[in-house]
Amino acid sequence: MKLTLKIWRQKNRQAAGKFETYSLDNVTEDMSFLEMMDILNLQLLHDKRDAVAFDHDCREGICGMCSMYINGRAHGPENATTTCQLHMRSFKDGDTIVIEPWRAAAFPIIKDLVVDRSAFDRIVQAGGYVSVSTGSAVDANAIPIDKTTADKAMDAAECIGCGACVASCKNSSAMLFLSAKVSHFALLPQGQAERKRRVLDMMRTHDEAGFGSCTNTGACEAECPKSISISNIARLNREYLLAALSNDTM
Amino acid sequence: MHLVSPTNKRKLDIIVVGSGLAGAAAAATLGELGYNVKCFCFQDSPRRAHSIAAQGGINAAKNYRNDGDSVYRLFYDTIKGGDYRAREGNVYRLAEVSVQIIDQCVAQGVPFAREYGGLLDTRSFGGTQVSRTFYARGQTGQQVLLGAYSALSRQINTGAVKMYNRHEMLDVVTIDGKARGIIARNVESGEIERHGGHAVVLATGGYGNVFFLSTNAMGSNVTAAWKAYRKGALFGNPCFTQIHPTCIPVSGHFQSKLTLMSESLRNDGRVWVPKKKEDCGKNPLDIPEQDRDYYLERRYPAFGNLVPRDVASRAAKVVCDEGRGVGKSGYAVYLDFADAIKRLGENVIRERYGNLFDMYERITAENPYKAPMRIYPAVHYTMGGLWVDYELSTNVPGLYALGEANFSDHGANRLGASALMQGLADGYFVLPVTIGEYLSHEIRSGKIDTNQAAFAEAEKSVRDTLNQFINIKGNKTVDEFHLALGKIMWEKCGMSRNAKGLAEAQSEIRALREEFYKNVFVPGSTDEFNPELEKAGRVADFLELGELMVIDALNRNESCGGHFREEYQMADGEALRQDEYQYVSAWQYNGMNKAPTLHKEELIFENLEVKTRNYAEWVKTSSPVLVLGMGLLVIKS
């Protein structure tokens, strides 16, 4: 198939960016979206032009590195699919595809389609862990957890930290990401000791990083490649309220 | 073994390169112990490391199932699975600490699968007859990595670990024979940085991407290990590559990587091809039972579909080479769940493998609940890596290698669900203890001064190499060279190898390398975010590594595990080991285009009888009283 691509090009953090238009031939439907990008880059390099920079690594939908805003949707037209798992059979011959980076003040653009998501790391550093040093654990089966709870914790822990929730949110809120991590630990017995401090510290870091507030539009859930449920945000709000009203350190 | 007191730990700096299971676990644990740690990763976050893509599970000799498992049994299975080419002492220690790993992960909140009673569930994996694999749906690697990442994040928060994201290590600095730091490039700004430390720990993963197509992440590379090799560290068993039997087959020339389907699928999936060549093009559902060849069950009745990976991969190659492969290319076999769905119901299968089935459908646009999957072997893991002793130290004092980056525990073939086990064992429980012995002698060294000549020289050489790539201004892209190298490696140093092909491969790789330095095109400059420049450096190193793998494969006149030399096989096509090769080949660098020197570490089995691997019959394993030393670490030239 033959495609027209409109891609955001920006040399570095400071430079002004703009859309460039490219046409690409010989795309087949079995190709993944990133393989289509590889072919575009091959063409650009043969013309002695700079390749389009984009983040990607595992290409199996799990590392969370790929991050393209395709035709107005994070990770493109298919639901519950990362950009790397999107295939060209989702497009038609003659299509024009618009490709942008994640757009959010808390995710500054580094180059072209590559953004800086280190704010996510900072949120986790603020409390996204159980403080258990190596060697101090009890036998694994000494902590029984009923299957339903364990499954719910796993549902939340499946978040890949790609940032699609932020890119899709009109407020650029990272609440879905934050709530997935808070829920994962709040549900488990291992997470209880630091439950209140965790949610307060992580929420504060979220706000300081420049992410917006949640107004429950549900765009994050609709665009999440791992189908993380918005009910985690409800749990986050409950956890936050509980901690804010009863935390002994306050 | 000496220890370092808490007050002295504060004076010692450790550099950890890589933030996967081994690197993140080591950096976190060293931080907890009180050392000053700097941790580096080339991705935008330590959570992206390719450990995250491991699907099936993590082994541990917990024996929660009461099915006859034990530390000894895990030790025995690993040595046997590795075709008696791993060091006894290291593997026994691995089996011992496997138990603590699960405890640690659960304490961190890793949501492993559970039974209704609330206790942990396990499943079976290839090469074993017990159920010792703990798992978190099909995302075990993700969950245990996020556990290590959370521990690392906690140490970053306390200030014990300083994290350098989007930084790539481009050289090791050695002073008076000791590792004293690294040169790293900030890939966003292009800045070249010097970092000093009292020890350098490489946890930089494997080099399967030398084949271009593999299940590794696009960025996985050999560069850190290769720079260490060029600075004098020995490279162990470079030719030992694992070809994983259950991957989605190649669909076109544009393909950038291959996707694994977890080995756990072989618990319920049955592997088959048509008995008759003329049936290969038919719809598999129209081929009646009596016309199907369940070749793994036929050839290996004791283990059936759960034979080790090397055995399953080669068996698939055999039936495809006979012309009985299926799919467009003829290079695929069926993995069929019809019986399991009939027996257990679609819901149970969805619960166990739902995400894998979805992934398969997304890639191939076929529904594996309705028709069998098509699979074919692909490069997945490299058992070879930097040579290390029992303390995980390379022969360069102060330079350590962990996880897939070292050669140590899997011999010539790794069993499924053992990579996560080894990465975490090395990172959480082994290195943080063993490194104390070396560092106890460093407490008076003081801060490592990065203004020393060795740092300046290493920095200059890094800058020169980067400038060289930019200035070649040739006509071929880095990927085109990588693809060409991968083709040579897959065809001549892949699932089966022979002396003639390997000799050809060596000269072809040399010619390709020569062309690379004359004709590669890298756009832009060195002082900007330049992914093509990063790739150029990695491919340049692969072009050297490929030759070393071929040299090693040519030297090893035997078949063992994943290394199958066509000249050495039994009448039934099984691997034929040769006793005189019961050693680790540890190669020493002598310069580009110069033959490396081979050192041999003999493998001495004091606790296991070396046998021919047999997965066709049941073999009784007795559990003798163990007399285990530290393994014999003498290197003989």
Side-chain angles (χ1 to χ4, degrees):
Chain A
M1 54 175 107
K2 204 174 156 126
L3 300 169
T4 304
L5 303 169
K6 290 187 182 221
I7 300 179
W8 185 260
R9 301 298 307 261
Q10 179 171 336
K11 194 147 175 57
N12 53 42
R13 285 179 193 253
Q14 292 76 35
K18 63 173 188 331
F19 281 102
E20 296 269 3
T21 305
Y22 306 97
S23 53
L24 195 59
D25 218 339
N26 294 323
V27 173
T28 68
E29 58 178 25
D30 286 338
M31 278 179 195
S32 73
F33 196 84
L34 295 184
E35 283 163 355
M36 182 275 291
M37 293 296 293
D38 291 341
I39 290 178
L40 170 69
N41 276 343
L42 186 70
Q43 185 177 304
L44 289 172
L45 291 166
H46 279 163
D47 295 343
K48 305 284 188 240
R49 294 157 77 186
D50 196 10
V52 179
F54 59 91
D55 265 335
H56 64 111
D57 201 23
C58 79
R59 297 204 179 187
E60 293 182 24
I62 192 75
C63 76
M65 194 105 172
C66 61
S67 47
M68 290 183 191
Y69 210 72
I70 301 163
N71 286 345
R73 287 188 68 182
H75 294 301
E78 302 294 331
N79 290 334
T81 303
T82 55
T83 302
C84 67
Q85 295 287 287
L86 179 65
H87 281 70
M88 296 314 292
R89 63 181 79 96
S90 301
F91 299 88
K92 297 190 306 292
D93 186 34
D95 273 0
T96 296
I97 305 176
V98 181
I99 309 170
E100 300 164 80
W102 285 170
R103 288 175 302 176
F107 288 163
I109 294 175
I110 292 177
K111 182 176 181 179
D112 299 339
L113 305 172
V114 178
V115 300
D116 178 352
R117 285 170 287 193
S118 54
F120 271 14
D121 283 338
R122 292 199 297 280
I123 292 175
V124 173
Q125 286 155 19
Y129 39 78
V130 174
S131 296
V132 52
S133 295
T134 303
S136 52
V138 296
D139 184 86
N141 262 352
I143 314 172
I145 302 167
D146 76 277
K147 191 175 182 312
T148 318
T149 306
D151 284 347
K152 266 195 217 165
M154 179 65 194
D155 289 341
E158 282 184 343
C159 167
I160 57 173
C162 65
C165 48
V166 176
S168 309
C169 176
K170 69 187 177 76
N171 309 317
S172 298
S173 172
M175 288 287 184
L176 193 65
F177 168 79
L178 170 60
S179 69
K181 198 48 22 193
V182 166
S183 292
H184 166 203
F185 290 123
L187 284 159
L188 295 175
Q190 299 94 307
Q192 297 311 305
E194 295 162 289
R195 186 171 175 177
K196 292 179 185 173
R197 217 174 77 179
R198 174 181 304 115
V199 66
L200 295 175
D201 289 347
M202 290 179 78
M203 183 72 91
R204 194 184 56 248
T205 312
H206 169 275
D207 294 350
E208 284 167 4
F211 295 109
S213 300
C214 173
T215 49
N216 282 312
T217 66
C220 53
E221 179 186 62
E223 300 294 7
C224 174
K226 296 293 148 181
S227 306
I228 303 292
S229 165
I230 198 172
S231 63
N232 288 303
I233 298 184
R235 188 179 294 105
L236 169 72
N237 288 334
R238 195 167 65 235
E239 290 292 317
Y240 182 78
L241 206 60
L242 192 77
L245 294 176
S246 66
N247 189 32
D248 307 333
T249 61
M250 290 192 73
Chain B
M1 179 167 289
H2 292 91
L3 298 174
V4 182
S5 78
T7 49
N8 283 328
K9 285 196 180 104
R10 282 184 233 134
K11 298 180 199 158
L12 295 167
D13 301 328
I14 304 175
I15 288 170
V16 178
V17 186
S19 65
L21 290 177
T29 305
L30 292 167
E32 287 161 10
L33 288 171
Y35 295 107
N36 301 311
V37 182
K38 287 182 174 181
C39 182
F40 295 80
C41 74
F42 68 80
Q43 296 96 338
D44 76 327
S45 162
R47 66 179 290 156
R48 314 278 187 218
H50 197 54
S51 309
I52 205 157
Q55 299 168 350
I58 176 165
N59 288 330
K62 281 285 196 186
N63 195 29
Y64 282 157
R65 291 266 179 167
N66 195 29
D67 58 358
D69 201 6
S70 62
V71 166
Y72 178 82
R73 188 85 211 191
L74 176 51
F75 160 69
Y76 169 85
D77 285 343
T78 306
I79 293 276
K80 177 188 173 193
D83 219 352
Y84 302 91
R85 290 294 174 264
R87 195 190 283 149
E88 267 194 347
N90 287 52
V91 176
Y92 192 80
R93 177 180 63 191
L94 175 68
E96 281 182 313
V97 301
S98 70
V99 175
Q100 283 168 274
I101 293 169
I102 301 303
D103 298 342
Q104 188 64 33
C105 290
V106 168
Q108 290 169 345
V110 170
F112 284 126
R114 287 176 185 270
E115 295 172 336
Y116 282 102
L119 303 181
L120 292 164
D121 193 16
T122 53
R123 59 188 174 198
S124 308
F125 253 62
T128 68
Q129 290 169 313
V130 294
S131 177
R132 65 160 75 97
T133 306
F134 296 82
Y135 65 101
R137 295 187 189 150
Q139 296 110 290
T140 317
Q142 180 199 25
Q143 294 308 316
V144 293
L145 180 69
L146 292 180
Y149 165 72
S150 73
L152 175 65
S153 297
R154 177 173 157 243
Q155 293 309 306
I156 295 170
N157 193 43
T158 66
V161 178
K162 182 151 173 41
M163 188 70 216
Y164 293 83
N165 298 347
R166 293 200 195 267
H167 274 67
E168 182 158 27
M169 176 196 130
L170 293 178
D171 209 354
V172 186
V173 180
T174 54
I175 298 175
D176 300 329
K178 289 178 176 176
R180 286 304 196 196
I182 62 166
I183 304 296
R185 179 171 180 269
N186 175 333
V187 301
E188 188 193 329
S189 66
E191 263 171 90
I192 306 293
E193 301 169 0
R194 303 175 185 184
H195 295 275
H198 296 89
V200 175
V201 178
L202 301 183
T204 48
Y207 48 85
N209 270 347
V210 68
F211 290 88
F212 185 76
L213 280 183
S214 80
T215 65
N216 285 188
M218 302 303 285
S220 300
N221 66 80
V222 76
T223 290
W226 196 253
K227 302 304 185 195
Y229 169 67
R230 290 182 62 148
K231 283 281 167 83
L234 302 175
F235 209 107
N237 296 334
C239 82
F240 285 172
T241 311
Q242 176 159 86
I243 317 275
H244 196 292
T246 53
C247 300
I248 299 178
V250 176
S251 65
H253 67 277
F254 51 80
Q255 191 121 4
S256 60
K257 77 153 278 163
L258 295 169
T259 302
L260 176 80
M261 290 280 105
S262 168
E263 175 165 317
S264 59
L265 293 169
R266 287 197 275 143
N267 267 306
D268 289 305
R270 298 178 70 196
V271 177
W272 64 276
V273 288
K275 280 186 181 160
K276 294 177 280 193
K277 285 182 196 176
E278 52 273 25
D279 283 353
C280 291
K282 281 190 189 165
N283 180 341
L285 302 176
D286 296 339
I287 301 174
E289 198 62 27
Q290 69 272 15
D291 289 339
R292 299 175 175 193
D293 178 12
Y294 294 92
Y295 57 89
L296 289 177
E297 296 169 29
R298 171 172 58 79
R299 288 179 63 183
Y300 308 102
F303 283 70
N305 292 295
L306 284 174
V307 289
R309 292 173 173 178
D310 56 332
V311 176
S313 291
R314 249 187 328 270
K317 183 177 190 302
V318 168
V319 293
C320 291
D321 287 347
E322 284 170 10
R324 295 193 289 140
V326 298
K328 260 189 262 172
S329 65
Y331 279 91
V333 300
Y334 290 122
L335 179 63
D336 198 333
F337 291 87
D339 282 358
I341 290 173
K342 210 181 293 165
R343 190 175 72 241
L344 304 162
E346 200 173 305
N347 280 341
V348 174
I349 295 301
R350 195 181 303 278
E351 167 108 338
R352 286 186 189 165
Y353 313 111
N355 70 316
L356 298 170
F357 277 46
D358 292 348
M359 183 152 82
Y360 182 86
E361 186 166 3
R362 217 170 285 131
I363 293 171
T364 63
E366 287 172 21
N367 179 350
Y369 293 101
K370 303 281 174 241
M373 287 183 179
R374 276 176 290 106
I375 53 163
Y376 197 66
V379 174
H380 178 56
Y381 186 90
T382 48
M383 283 73 70
L386 290 173
W387 182 90
V388 290
D389 64 13
Y390 187 74
E391 296 180 354
L392 303 184
S393 170
T394 68
N395 55 307
V396 176
L399 183 64
Y400 292 78
L402 315 186
E404 192 179 350
N406 73 28
F407 87 101
S408 74
D409 294 346
H410 307 295
N413 172 59
R414 178 174 66 73
L415 291 181
S418 284
L420 302 186
M421 171 174 69
Q422 188 221 340
L424 290 180
D426 288 1
Y428 284 133
F429 296 106
V430 181
L431 175 97
V433 180
T434 59
I435 203 169
E437 170 64 30
Y438 174 79
L439 290 173
S440 67
H441 304 289
E442 289 289 331
I443 54 178
R444 289 186 198 87
S445 300
K447 203 94 186 145
I448 303 300
D449 177 10
T450 57
N451 292 315
Q452 298 180 75
F455 278 93
E457 279 161 30
E459 184 186 322
K460 180 172 182 308
S461 121
V462 164
R463 285 184 189 281
D464 289 349
T465 308
L466 295 172
N467 287 326
Q468 186 185 6
F469 294 142
I470 297 277
N471 291 331
I472 294 168
K473 299 194 193 305
N475 290 313
K476 271 197 193 173
T477 67
V478 176
D479 282 350
E480 286 170 314
F481 281 101
H482 195 177
L483 188 63
L485 173 66
K487 195 163 180 297
I488 300 170
M489 296 303 293
W490 179 246
E491 283 172 4
K492 295 178 173 167
C493 194
M495 235 186 306
S496 67
R497 302 139 177 206
N498 60 55
K500 183 172 162 286
L502 288 166
E504 287 165 6
Q506 188 175 3
S507 53
E508 288 168 27
I509 295 167
R510 283 193 172 201
L512 188 66
R513 193 164 66 217
E514 214 167 288
E515 193 197 342
F516 177 86
Y517 283 98
K518 285 183 190 145
N519 197 26
V520 73
F521 174 70
V522 180
S525 66
T526 58
D527 56 359
E528 62 176 336
F529 186 77
N530 190 345
E532 288 296 312
L533 179 63
E534 293 163 44
K535 281 198 281 187
R538 294 169 191 164
V539 170
D541 292 332
F542 281 138
L543 282 163
E544 293 180 35
L545 165 77
E547 186 181 352
L548 183 67
M549 291 171 71
V550 166
I551 290 171
D552 187 43
L554 206 47
N555 169 70
R556 193 168 279 277
N557 290 311
E558 65 163 349
S559 292
C560 58
H563 170 64
F564 191 76
R565 279 281 300 272
E566 288 161 10
E567 303 93 321
Y568 304 94
Q569 52 180 307
M570 294 186 241
D572 58 359
E574 301 296 341
L576 184 61
R577 266 191 341 248
Q578 305 286 314
D579 289 343
E580 71 255 42
Y581 287 91
Q582 191 170 301
Y583 63 74
V584 176
S585 45
W587 297 91
Q588 182 191 336
Y589 183 70
N590 290 323
M592 214 199 300
N593 296 326
K594 289 194 183 128
T597 307
L598 173 64
H599 300 271
K600 298 173 182 174
E601 180 201 335
E602 277 194 56
L603 292 167
I604 295 167
F605 294 94
E606 297 169 294
N607 299 286
L608 284 180
E609 190 192 340
V610 178
K611 292 186 215 158
T612 299
R613 282 200 308 175
N614 184 342
Y615 291 99
E617 290 163 35
W618 287 263
V619 182
K620 186 171 176 291
T621 317
S622 55
S623 219
V625 178
L626 282 179
V627 192
L628 262 166
M630 305 279 266
L632 208 74
L633 306 178
V634 185
I635 296 194
K636 291 180 192 160
S637 286

